[in-house]
Amino acid sequence: MSDFKIVERLQKIDVDIQKNQLNYHAKRVLVSKEFTFDAAHHLHDYEGKCKNLHGHTYRVVLGLSGYTDERGLLIDFGDIKEIWKQKIEIHLDHRYLNETLPPMNTTAENIVVWIYEKLTVALLDEGYNGARVEFIKLYETPTSYAEARREWMEVE
């Protein structure tokens, strides 16, 4: 027999738990969200298959860190999704990256830094001053990715 139990009474704020108890800690945490997008591109000054127009189903992993608010939240996952969709994905999904991105060779290494920069600006614009981008991983294939990390972007 399992220990499964149906909850008989939902916990209520200011009855079972006080507002000052909602945030359990005052430590930095990292939240992460993944997205995919499909895009076409080709590489310049490159001798290999990728010099030809081709496409990928990219997978991107966003890692944000910061301190939680009085509710115990750093940033709502839905807010990360909105930022991604409105500020970044519109330039990437089902696009020819050589046209929609700034002038660059559309390597995973260049694109991942562009995503890092766009997300950093979006967090500031949206008022998430306490949240910062820790890393972006951009998978071009299931086994190949480029990564941008905060310590590399801010120091070098």
Side-chain angles (χ1 to χ4, degrees):
M1 180 166 253
S2 75
D3 291 334
F4 178 76
K5 178 181 165 187
I6 296 175
V7 175
E8 294 178 19
R9 187 174 65 83
L10 287 178
Q11 190 180 66
K12 292 185 177 136
I13 190 95
D14 295 327
V15 175
D16 303 301
I17 186 170
Q18 302 305 307
K19 286 189 179 190
N20 66 353
Q21 294 176 298
L22 296 179
N23 192 7
Y24 177 73
H25 63 87
K27 296 179 173 49
R28 179 174 289 280
V29 294
L30 183 129
V31 295
S32 184
K33 190 143 178 69
E34 296 186 21
F35 301 96
T36 61
F37 63 94
D38 297 299
H41 76 131
H42 68 93
L43 299 181
H44 299 285
D45 196 26
Y46 179 82
E47 290 306 316
K49 293 190 298 184
C50 294
K51 73 178 178 179
N52 298 314
L53 180 63
H54 64 285
H56 299 283
T57 296
Y58 291 90
R59 181 168 67 101
V60 63
V61 183
L62 313 178
L64 311 175
S65 83
Y67 296 94
T68 54
D69 64 15
E70 66 279 354
R71 303 167 298 163
L73 288 171
L74 166 60
I75 184 172
D76 189 281
F77 289 112
D79 292 346
I80 299 171
K81 182 178 180 180
E82 282 303 306
I83 291 169
W84 169 257
K85 292 219 164 274
Q86 293 177 10
K87 306 285 184 167
I88 302 168
E89 183 188 61
I90 57 172
H91 303 283
L92 303 172
D93 192 37
H94 286 82
R95 301 293 185 152
Y96 172 45
L97 299 178
N98 297 70
E99 268 184 358
T100 61
L101 293 178
M104 68 170 78
N105 211 6
T106 53
T107 62
E109 296 90 335
N110 280 337
I111 299 168
V112 76
V113 170
W114 179 85
I115 293 171
Y116 179 97
E117 292 171 347
K118 291 292 276 186
L119 183 56
T120 298
V121 168
L123 288 173
L124 290 172
D125 288 349
E126 298 293 322
Y128 292 104
N129 292 327
R132 68 185 189 197
V133 182
E134 290 296 333
F135 71 86
I136 306 290
K137 284 186 180 182
L138 177 66
Y139 287 83
E140 194 171 85
T141 71
T143 59
S144 303
Y145 71 88
E147 184 171 356
R149 296 184 186 171
R150 180 184 53 80
E151 60 265 27
W152 300 337
M153 299 297 109
E154 293 181 0
V155 174
E156 299 179 336

